Amino acid sequence: MDSQRIRQPELAGKVMTAEAAASFFHNGMTVGMSGFTRAGDAKAMPRALAERAQREELRLTVITGASLGNGSDGLMAEAGLLARRLPFQVDPTLRRKINAGEVMFIDQHLSETAEQLRSGSPSPVDIAVIEAAAITKDGIVPTMSVGNSASFVEQAKMIIIELNTSVPPALEGLHDIYLPAARPERGAIPLTAPQQRIGRTTIPFDPAKVAAIVLTETPDSPSTVLPPDDETNAIARHVISFLECEVEAGRLPHTLAPLQAGIGTIANAVLHGLVESPFRNLSMYSEVLQDSAIELLDSGQLAFASASSITLSQAKYEHFIANIERYRDKLVLRPQEISNHPELVRRLGIIGLNTALEFDIYGNVNSTHVGGTHMMNGIGGSGDFARNGQISIFVSKSVAKDGAISSVVPMVSHVDHSEHDVDVLVTEWGLADLRGLAPRERAVRVIDNCCHPDYRAQLRDYFTRACAAGGHTPHLLGEAFSWHQHYAQHRTMRLG
């Protein structure tokens, strides 16, 4: 074994296969696994545990930073390994098990998971499984994400380290590991700018808690983000025009404010659109960096980016790794409770850009539930930034399923972000700035600017009749979900 990968010689004897390490797990345990949006996730142990669960009863509570890659969630779900899963996922097999009630899924704000674990909820971490690029004398060097790994290591009774030899050692030094002190004596988090470092480059750990070191060489799953299309390009233009107006009005400087963008095609496309914008010397304070962030760094428009994870397409990952020395002083990866911390989001004045499944005429946003009942992925970090950011922007294409579903509805079927937390709504048709507007004023702007023309008259009719019935936030309760019900019965929201 390369002595540069394991720099604590006394741990060399802990190297074993994933199958051998799987013997440390027992039914009912709570396991914290590294991984955030397919980056830096454990690769070998999920597969070994799934294989064991197919032979004997083994059901675990599995906590991560966010989603895992390499099909791990699907393998574990199909094997019956997952009794409880939190706080986020994107796997279709796991999603099916969740919606069938076979896996209890806890959908959490990503800033809250580590904090709740400190309070003993849902239960203390028995084993932490952490991917590493190296083990130094000072600690564990994470790979392409930090997520909740530092908190898992701090709290776990036992640690299993997956040492991934496919990851370049040059990642060392990219991380800034800082965890808040215990409450109630906790002081302010001493971070006042995205480029500031306040912690260490490695995750501290107790060598006595290391039960196994498992060698892997499996790379992260590449991002599946699609390239921009006509609709996402139109959304990007609306957002950029809005930001230009904010600068012209004196509400933002020419460098804007630190940007956050959620995972996904639309948010990535909007950031990609900034490459052609007039803005320079930008900064990001986000939870995940996608291809667009690397493009903005390459264009020189983005001066610095702070996140908890870097999730890239295969081509962009290879470019990033080949040029990592060039990016070293422009990037930092932090624990997700720091990247998403409400105190810091509010202090830094973040501009949050996140994706909606649907939103209603008053500005309530559904990010998670299809038809109000079926989990898609989870709320992720969008709530952390929406409630605490300087400007909270939600984007969505105006229709789905070839126009059979309107993303703008009378009332959302599930509320993740209430109208009180949403400032701006954007579709390819236009942008609705809801700041300073009462509910009836918001509805007019949303219908006129964001709704697809095929549904505009239908939505105006609903709103007019609701206003006639009265109320500060007019609704016809017997019809508020009629669009969703009509789709369930006829596979279209068109009522005519």
Side-chain angles (χ1 to χ4, degrees), residues 8 34 130-132 134-136 138-143 145-154 159 175-179 200-206 335:
Q8 294 195 28
S34 67
I130 308 298
E131 182 177 83
I135 306 169
T136 74
D138 297 319
I140 298 169
V141 179
T143 55
S145 74
V146 179
N148 283 319
S149 295
S151 294
F152 295 153
V153 168
E154 179 184 58
I159 303 168
H175 312 89
D176 185 45
I177 310 300
Y178 175 94
L179 295 180
R200 347 170 1 137
T201 58
T202 61
I203 298 172
F205 73 105
D206 179 358

Coordinates of all heavy atoms in Angstrom, one line a residue, residues 8 34 130-132 134-136 138-143 145-154 159 175-179 200-206 335:
Q8 N -0.4 6.9 8.6 CA -0.3 6.4 10.0 C 0.0 4.9 9.9 O -0.9 4.1 9.7 CB -1.6 6.7 10.7 CG -1.9 8.2 10.9 CD -3.0 8.4 11.9 OE1 -3.2 7.6 12.8 NE2 -3.7 9.5 11.8
S34 N -20.5 8.7 3.7 CA -20.1 9.9 3.0 C -20.8 9.9 1.6 O -21.3 8.9 1.1 CB -18.6 9.9 2.8 OG -18.2 8.9 1.9
I130 N -16.6 6.3 5.3 CA -16.1 7.6 4.7 C -15.1 7.3 3.6 O -14.1 6.6 3.8 CB -15.4 8.5 5.8 CG1 -16.3 8.6 7.0 CG2 -15.0 9.8 5.2 CD1 -17.6 9.3 6.8
E131 N -15.4 7.9 2.4 CA -14.4 7.8 1.4 C -13.3 8.8 1.6 O -13.6 10.0 2.0 CB -15.1 8.1 0.0 CG -14.0 7.9 -1.1 CD -14.6 8.1 -2.5 OE1 -14.8 9.2 -3.0 OE2 -14.9 7.1 -3.2
A132 N -12.1 8.4 1.3 CA -10.9 9.3 1.5 C -9.9 9.2 0.4 O -9.8 8.1 -0.3 CB -10.2 8.9 2.8
A134 N -6.8 10.1 1.2 CA -5.6 9.7 2.0 C -5.9 9.8 3.5 O -6.9 10.4 3.9 CB -4.4 10.7 1.6
I135 N -5.1 9.2 4.3 CA -5.1 9.3 5.7 C -3.8 9.8 6.2 O -2.7 9.2 6.0 CB -5.4 7.9 6.4 CG1 -6.6 7.2 5.8 CG2 -5.5 8.1 7.9 CD1 -6.8 5.8 6.2
T136 N -3.8 11.1 6.7 CA -2.6 11.7 7.1 C -2.4 11.6 8.6 O -3.2 11.0 9.3 CB -2.6 13.2 6.7 OG1 -3.5 13.9 7.6 CG2 -3.1 13.4 5.3
D138 N -2.7 13.9 10.5 CA -3.6 14.9 11.1 C -5.1 14.5 10.9 O -5.9 15.0 11.7 CB -3.4 16.3 10.5 CG -2.0 16.8 10.8 OD1 -1.6 16.6 11.9 OD2 -1.4 17.4 9.9
G139 N -5.4 13.7 9.9 CA -6.8 13.3 9.7 C -7.1 12.7 8.4 O -6.2 12.2 7.7
I140 N -8.3 12.6 8.1 CA -8.8 12.0 6.8 C -9.0 13.1 5.8 O -9.6 14.1 6.0 CB -10.2 11.3 7.1 CG1 -10.1 10.2 8.1 CG2 -10.8 10.8 5.8 CD1 -11.4 9.6 8.6
V141 N -8.4 12.8 4.6 CA -8.6 13.7 3.5 C -9.8 13.3 2.7 O -9.8 12.2 2.1 CB -7.3 13.7 2.6 CG1 -7.5 14.7 1.4 CG2 -6.1 14.1 3.3
P142 N -10.9 14.1 2.7 CA -12.0 13.7 1.9 C -11.7 13.7 0.4 O -10.7 14.2 0.0 CB -13.1 14.8 2.2 CG -12.6 15.4 3.5 CD -11.1 15.3 3.4
T143 N -12.7 13.3 -0.4 CA -12.5 13.3 -1.9 C -13.3 14.5 -2.5 O -13.0 15.6 -2.1 CB -12.9 12.0 -2.5 OG1 -14.2 11.6 -2.1 CG2 -11.9 10.9 -2.0
S145 N -16.3 15.5 -2.1 CA -17.4 16.1 -1.3 C -17.0 16.0 0.2 O -16.1 15.2 0.6 CB -18.7 15.5 -1.5 OG -18.8 14.2 -0.9
V146 N -17.6 16.9 1.0 CA -17.5 16.7 2.5 C -18.8 16.3 3.1 O -18.8 15.3 3.9 CB -17.0 18.1 3.1 CG1 -16.9 17.9 4.6 CG2 -15.7 18.5 2.5
G147 N -19.9 16.9 2.7 CA -21.2 16.5 3.2 C -21.2 16.5 4.7 O -20.8 17.4 5.4
N148 N -21.7 15.4 5.2 CA -21.8 15.2 6.7 C -20.7 14.3 7.2 O -20.8 13.9 8.4 CB -23.2 14.6 7.0 CG -24.3 15.5 7.0 OD1 -24.2 16.7 7.4 ND2 -25.5 15.1 6.5
S149 N -19.7 14.1 6.4 CA -18.6 13.1 6.8 C -18.0 13.5 8.1 O -17.7 12.6 9.0 CB -17.6 13.0 5.7 OG -18.1 12.4 4.5
A150 N -17.6 14.8 8.3 CA -16.9 15.2 9.5 C -17.8 14.9 10.8 O -17.3 14.5 11.8 CB -16.5 16.7 9.4
S151 N -19.1 15.2 10.7 CA -20.0 14.9 11.8 C -20.1 13.4 12.1 O -20.2 13.0 13.2 CB -21.3 15.6 11.5 OG -21.2 17.0 11.5
F152 N -20.2 12.6 11.0 CA -20.3 11.2 11.2 C -19.1 10.7 11.9 O -19.1 9.9 12.8 CB -20.4 10.5 9.8 CG -21.7 10.8 9.1 CD1 -21.7 10.7 7.7 CD2 -22.9 11.1 9.8 CE1 -22.9 10.9 7.0 CE2 -24.1 11.4 9.1 CZ -24.1 11.3 7.7
V153 N -17.9 11.1 11.5 CA -16.6 10.7 12.1 C -16.6 11.1 13.5 O -16.1 10.3 14.4 CB -15.4 11.2 11.3 CG1 -14.1 11.0 12.1 CG2 -15.3 10.6 9.9
E154 N -17.0 12.3 13.8 CA -17.0 12.8 15.2 C -17.9 12.0 16.1 O -17.6 11.7 17.3 CB -17.4 14.3 15.2 CG -17.5 14.9 16.6 CD -18.0 16.3 16.5 OE1 -19.1 16.6 16.0 OE2 -17.2 17.3 16.9
I159 N -15.4 3.5 12.8 CA -15.2 4.2 11.5 C -14.6 3.2 10.5 O -13.7 2.4 10.8 CB -14.2 5.3 11.6 CG1 -14.6 6.4 12.6 CG2 -13.9 6.0 10.2 CD1 -13.6 7.4 13.0
H175 N -10.1 21.2 1.1 CA -11.2 21.2 2.0 C -10.9 22.1 3.2 O -9.8 22.4 3.6 CB -11.4 19.8 2.6 CG -11.4 18.7 1.5 ND1 -10.3 18.1 1.0 CD2 -12.4 18.3 0.7 CE1 -10.6 17.3 0.0 NE2 -11.9 17.4 -0.2
D176 N -12.0 22.6 3.8 CA -12.0 23.4 5.0 C -13.0 22.8 6.0 O -14.2 23.1 5.9 CB -12.4 24.9 4.6 CG -12.3 25.8 5.8 OD1 -11.2 25.8 6.5 OD2 -13.2 26.6 6.0
I177 N -12.5 22.1 6.9 CA -13.3 21.3 7.9 C -13.5 22.1 9.2 O -12.5 22.3 9.9 CB -12.7 19.9 8.2 CG1 -12.3 19.2 6.9 CG2 -13.7 19.1 9.0 CD1 -13.5 19.0 5.9
Y178 N -14.7 22.6 9.4 CA -15.1 23.3 10.6 C -16.4 22.8 11.0 O -17.4 22.8 10.2 CB -15.1 24.8 10.3 CG -15.6 25.7 11.5 CD1 -14.7 26.2 12.3 CD2 -16.9 25.9 11.7 CE1 -15.1 27.0 13.4 CE2 -17.4 26.7 12.7 CZ -16.5 27.2 13.6 OH -16.9 28.0 14.7
L179 N -16.6 22.5 12.3 CA -17.8 22.1 12.9 C -18.2 23.0 14.0 O -17.3 23.4 14.8 CB -17.8 20.7 13.4 CG -17.6 19.5 12.4 CD1 -17.5 18.2 13.0 CD2 -18.7 19.6 11.3
R200 N -9.7 23.2 9.2 CA -8.6 22.4 8.9 C -8.8 21.8 7.5 O -9.9 21.8 7.0 CB -8.3 21.3 9.9 CG -9.1 21.3 11.1 CD -9.0 20.1 12.0 NE -8.2 19.0 11.6 CZ -7.4 18.3 12.4 NH1 -7.3 18.6 13.7 NH2 -6.8 17.2 12.0
T201 N -7.7 21.2 7.0 CA -7.8 20.6 5.6 C -8.2 19.1 5.7 O -8.5 18.5 4.7 CB -6.5 20.7 4.9 OG1 -5.5 20.1 5.6 CG2 -6.2 22.2 4.6
T202 N -8.2 18.5 6.9 CA -8.6 17.1 7.0 C -9.6 17.0 8.1 O -9.9 17.9 9.0 CB -7.3 16.3 7.4 OG1 -6.8 16.8 8.7 CG2 -6.3 16.4 6.4
I203 N -10.3 15.8 8.1 CA -11.3 15.5 9.2 C -10.5 14.8 10.3 O -9.9 13.7 10.2 CB -12.3 14.5 8.6 CG1 -13.1 15.2 7.5 CG2 -13.3 14.1 9.7 CD1 -14.1 14.2 6.7
P204 N -10.5 15.4 11.5 CA -9.9 14.8 12.6 C -10.6 13.5 13.0 O -11.8 13.4 12.9 CB -10.0 15.8 13.7 CG -11.1 16.7 13.4 CD -11.2 16.7 11.9
F205 N -9.9 12.5 13.5 CA -10.5 11.3 13.9 C -9.6 10.6 15.0 O -8.4 10.8 15.1 CB -10.7 10.3 12.7 CG -9.4 9.7 12.2 CD1 -9.1 8.4 12.4 CD2 -8.5 10.5 11.4 CE1 -8.0 7.8 11.9 CE2 -7.4 9.9 10.9 CZ -7.1 8.5 11.2
D206 N -10.3 9.7 15.7 CA -9.6 8.8 16.7 C -9.2 7.5 16.0 O -10.0 6.7 15.6 CB -10.5 8.6 17.8 CG -9.9 7.7 18.9 OD1 -8.8 7.3 18.8 OD2 -10.6 7.4 19.9
P335 N -18.0 21.2 5.2 CA -19.2 20.4 5.6 C -20.5 21.1 5.2 O -20.6 22.3 5.2 CB -19.0 20.4 7.1 CG -17.5 20.7 7.4 CD -17.1 21.6 6.3

